[in-house]
């Protein structure tokens, strides 16, 4: 099926993909459209036995897949990217329907970036490294695949965050079982279904169901590694459970990223970047701007300009081409974000924009909310809101703001903004984060390592470092 039509749609039914086959289940569960709050589709709820079958098929497939040459695996991955490309419009639309993000500005770019990612990763073998060589001996470092990798993914970027795992796992010779979030399983089930037409059976399976599938994967003796993206709290459960079988782990967890606008910043020109950095995807980014520190000299003008920019955006159903801000993805998150609004009101912090939810509106819409200079100890500054609320905090002293930015259990990303690039880089170098952007934000690439410091994660995705984490470093010592 070639979906060149932007209104192309797939309306199910949805199947698990296991051992190259599309598999139905006895039980199903409802998936909601967050823009309407109504049921979008039924997703299959895998049983524990079905998950076991997927893992067994992946284990079986590993024997053959791991022994292929890089060029052979590359050809498979390119064929997979081509197949996804044929379904690009359909996948993007489905992503908007199940996740809520605007089709044109968020869902289509997410699908496009995912497909491009697979193509680029396919071109990046991990070379054998010669550690030392003498007349009589040679020492080589190889990177061999681990076995079956389990991918556990969240609901904010369900296509990209899953395929960020699939591409490097497969190209390095592993096989994979993906378990999507129960809130957004449909796009993953679809890309799993598409994979079965191009990849050998068992190389990539997708199994949806309740949260109980996660612990089954993390404890499973036949899974060698878990690549997890989700909250820090769940991440701690994953680590505990994986200890029993000493699994390899890559953990991409929560964050509370600070953006620091320095006294010399050309602050008016960066409002759009900071706005989208905070409010894009309705604030549901792991690396979203969650604390915006602006020098006191212009903080009030900044708040006004930020609000002026915000009111020009349209919130609504992501299928509407004029909409640039969608709903929060699910009811649970909607309730969680509401607790931040309740706290803000109870404490009497100054609301520069938004704050009031329209209870009569269907769907999970939280208005874009700007909080003018809440205290450092407030919930909205200290905790991860993961919704469209941004605190704009005044600071006086650069050393002090660096300390405040670092005073967090999280350390995912951050950004620093200033005219004097050297001075901004000096500030960036003092932030305790896995990533930091200077005068730009959210740039990513297959060769750019991405990971969290402190309680924001373990290990890295992307870059050679990220790909190597899907492998076992194996030293080969040869007497000539
Ligand atoms: P979550 O932790 O609730 O769920 C993530 C996944 O874990 C889901 O697939 C869920 O079904 C599964 N799961 C739940 N309980 C489990 C268990 N006991 N064992 C194994 N798996 C289990 O996270 P979420 O609400 O889906 O996502 C939002 C969070 O993800 C935010 O904190 C955000 O910052 C974080 N996130 C981080 C990154 C990153 O790259 N660092 C990217 C996106 C999101």
């Amino acid at each position: 099926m070639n979906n060149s039509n932007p209104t192309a749609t797939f309306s199910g039914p949805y199947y698990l993909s296991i051992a190259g086959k599309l598999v139905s289940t006895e039980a199903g569960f409802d998936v909601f459209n967050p823009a309407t709050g109504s049921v979008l589709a039924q997703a299959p709820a895998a049983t524990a036995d079905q998950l076991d079958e997927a893992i067994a098929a992946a284990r079986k497939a590993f024997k053959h897949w791991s022994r292929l040459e890089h060029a052979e695996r590359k050809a498979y991955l390119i064929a997979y990217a081509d197949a996804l490309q044929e379904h690009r419009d359909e996948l993007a639309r489905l992503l908007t329907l199940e996740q809520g993000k605007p089709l044109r500005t968020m869902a289509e770019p997410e699908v496009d970036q995912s497909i491009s990612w697979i193509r680029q990763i396919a071109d990046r073998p991990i070379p054998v490294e010669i550690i030392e060589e003498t007349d009589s001996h040679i020492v080589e470092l190889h990177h061999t695949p681990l076995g079956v990798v389990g991918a556990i993914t969240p609901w904010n970027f369900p296509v990209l965050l899953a395929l960020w795992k699939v591409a490097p796992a497969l190209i390095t010779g592993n096989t994979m079982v993906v378990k999507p979030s129960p809130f957004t399983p449909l796009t993953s089930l679809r890309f799993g279904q598409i994979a079965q037409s191009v990849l050998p059976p068992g190389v990539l399976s997708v199994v949806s169901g309740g949260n109980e599938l996660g612990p089954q994967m993390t404890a499973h003796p036949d899974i060698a590694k878990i690549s997890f993206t989700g909250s820090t709290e769940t991440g701690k459960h994953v680590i505990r459970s994986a200890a029993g079988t000493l699994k390899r782990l890559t953990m991409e967890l929560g964050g509370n990223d600070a953006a620091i606008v320095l006294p010399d910043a050309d602050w008016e020109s960066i409002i759009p970047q900071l706005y989208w950095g905070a409010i894009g995807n309705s604030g549901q980014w792991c690396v979203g701007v969650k604390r915006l520190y602006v020098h006191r000299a212009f903080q009030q003008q900044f708040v006004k300009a930020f609000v002026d920019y915000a009111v020009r955006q349209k919130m609504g159903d992501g299928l509407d081409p004029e909409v640039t801000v969608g709903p929060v993805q699910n009811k649970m998150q909607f309730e969680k974000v509401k607790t931040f609004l309740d706290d803000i009101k109870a404490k009497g912090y100054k609301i520069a924009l938004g704050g009031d939810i329209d209870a009569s509106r269907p769907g999970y819409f939280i208005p874009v909310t700007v909080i003018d200079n809440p205290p450092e100890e407030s919930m909205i500054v200290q905790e991860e809101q993961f919704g469209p609320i941004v605190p704009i905090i005044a600071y006086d002293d650069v050393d002090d703001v660096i300390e405040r930015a670092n005073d967090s259990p999280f350390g995912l990303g951050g950004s620093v903004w200033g005219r004097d690039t050297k001075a901004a880089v000096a500030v960036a170098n003092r932030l305790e984060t896995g990533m930091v952007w200077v005068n730009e934000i959210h740039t990513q690439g297959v060769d750019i390592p991405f990971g969290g410091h402190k309680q924001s994660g373990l290990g890295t995705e992307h870059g050679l470092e990220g790909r190597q984490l899907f492998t076992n470093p194996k030293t080969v010592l040869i007497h000539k």
Side-chain angles (χ1 to χ4, degrees):
M1 185 166 64
N2 187 334
N3 291 308
S4 52
N5 173 2
T7 59
T9 189
F10 178 79
S11 49
Y14 295 89
Y15 299 100
L16 312 176
S17 41
I18 299 177
K21 298 196 184 71
L22 304 185
V23 177
S24 53
T25 58
E26 272 179 26
F29 61 97
D30 290 337
V31 179
F32 294 87
N33 178 343
T36 60
S38 54
V39 174
L40 173 64
Q42 277 266 309
T47 60
D49 285 348
Q50 284 172 317
L51 177 55
D52 270 344
E53 281 166 34
I55 296 167
R59 199 166 175 221
K60 190 168 166 216
F62 178 74
K63 289 197 179 111
H64 173 68
W65 182 255
S66 61
R67 298 189 64 172
L68 294 180
E69 295 292 333
H70 173 85
E72 294 172 295
R73 289 199 290 258
K74 172 178 168 176
Y76 275 117
L77 283 193
I78 298 294
Y80 185 35
D82 290 345
L84 290 172
Q85 187 66 46
E86 282 185 30
H87 295 270
R88 178 262 192 190
D89 295 331
E90 169 217 308
L91 280 164
R93 192 179 159 83
L94 187 57
L95 178 56
T96 293
L97 287 170
E98 75 168 344
Q99 206 285 336
K101 62 185 66 193
L103 178 65
R104 192 175 45 82
T105 56
M106 295 295 301
E108 289 178 351
E110 179 172 339
V111 172
D112 290 342
Q113 196 193 338
S114 305
I115 296 170
S116 156
W117 208 270
I118 297 173
R119 292 191 199 287
Q120 293 179 66
I121 294 264
D123 242 347
R124 284 166 172 75
I126 302 180
V128 172
E129 222 180 295
I130 307 295
I131 304 294
E132 63 177 49
E133 182 162 17
T134 65
D135 289 346
S136 62
H137 108 146
I138 183 164
V139 180
E140 298 174 350
L141 184 64
H142 296 236
H143 284 87
T144 57
L146 296 168
V148 180
V149 178
I152 301 181
T153 57
W155 45 258
N156 57 339
F157 288 85
V159 176
L160 187 68
L161 297 180
L163 292 174
W164 271 2
K165 301 180 188 308
V166 171
L170 265 47
I171 199 66
T172 48
N174 302 282
T175 54
M176 183 166 249
V177 177
V178 175
K179 191 212 79 63
S181 165
F183 292 115
T184 52
L186 303 180
T187 41
S188 298
L189 291 164
R190 230 7 225 149
F191 72 61
Q193 186 167 348
I194 293 164
Q196 306 317 309
S197 61
V198 284
L199 298 178
V203 168
L204 176 62
S205 297
V206 178
V207 175
S208 61
N211 281 340
E212 70 285 352
L213 296 178
Q216 191 187 338
M217 287 172 79
T218 55
H220 204 289
D222 291 335
I223 289 189
K225 172 183 170 115
I226 294 287
S227 181
F228 176 86
T229 303
S231 65
T232 295
E233 277 322 301
T234 309
K236 290 176 186 173
H237 290 298
V238 169
I239 293 172
R240 278 186 216 108
S241 163
T245 47
L246 214 70
K247 285 185 182 23
R248 276 49 185 161
L249 293 169
T250 300
M251 309 292 296
E252 295 293 353
L253 306 177
N256 194 9
D257 290 11
I260 300 176
V261 182
L262 291 171
D264 73 337
D266 177 10
W267 60 267
E268 279 174 289
S269 73
I270 60 176
I271 295 264
Q273 281 164 285
L274 285 167
Y275 178 83
W276 292 114
I279 303 299
N281 212 39
S282 296
Q284 302 161 117
W285 308 75
C286 52
V287 284
V289 172
K290 293 173 185 153
R291 300 178 279 163
L292 181 40
Y293 291 100
V294 176
H295 195 262
R296 196 179 302 277
F298 48 84
Q299 187 263 358
Q300 282 299 298
Q301 292 154 279
F302 186 98
V303 170
K304 187 177 174 313
F306 195 93
V307 167
D308 286 348
Y309 187 85
V311 296
R312 297 206 298 273
Q313 305 305 322
K314 183 174 175 190
M315 177 176 266
D317 187 327
L319 291 181
D320 175 345
E322 287 180 3
V323 160
T324 51
V325 184
V328 165
Q329 199 278 323
N330 58 69
K331 183 89 167 64
M332 184 199 72
Q333 189 63 21
F334 179 80
E335 296 299 335
K336 188 182 149 203
V337 177
K338 254 167 67 176
T339 66
F340 284 86
L341 292 179
D342 293 345
D343 183 72
I344 287 158
K345 288 183 179 167
K347 305 274 168 50
Y349 304 144
K350 199 165 153 200
I351 299 175
L353 177 70
D356 293 322
I357 293 172
D358 176 359
S360 67
R361 185 176 188 166
Y364 312 134
F365 289 96
I366 305 251
V368 171
T369 299
V370 178
I371 311 302
D372 181 0
N373 204 22
E376 190 61 28
E377 65 277 11
S378 58
M379 181 180 173
I380 187 62
V381 177
Q382 292 299 317
E383 294 180 25
E384 184 186 38
Q385 62 273 49
F386 222 64
I389 311 178
V390 59
I392 302 181
I393 311 144
Y395 73 90
D396 297 295
D397 176 70
V398 172
D399 285 328
D400 176 56
V401 80
I402 294 171
E403 211 160 288
R404 285 153 74 179
N406 285 337
D407 186 16
S408 167
F410 294 115
L412 191 56
S415 59
V416 183
W417 305 81
R419 275 201 182 88
D420 179 346
T421 309
K422 226 170 131 194
V425 170
V427 172
N429 288 342
R430 291 171 61 191
L431 292 184
E432 296 165 358
T433 61
M435 292 158 288
V436 59
W437 289 273
V438 176
N439 291 329
E440 61 177 45
I441 192 157
H442 294 160
T443 327
Q444 285 156 4
V446 287
D447 296 319
I448 302 173
F450 177 102
H453 189 20
K454 301 198 262 186
Q455 293 192 29
S456 287
L458 282 181
T460 288
E461 291 196 291
H462 319 331
L464 181 60
E465 294 85 345
R467 289 201 303 291
Q468 284 177 340
L469 289 177
F470 284 98
T471 66
N472 172 47
K474 180 176 175 186
T475 311
V476 182
L477 306 97
I478 309 157
H479 185 74
K480 281 182 175 171

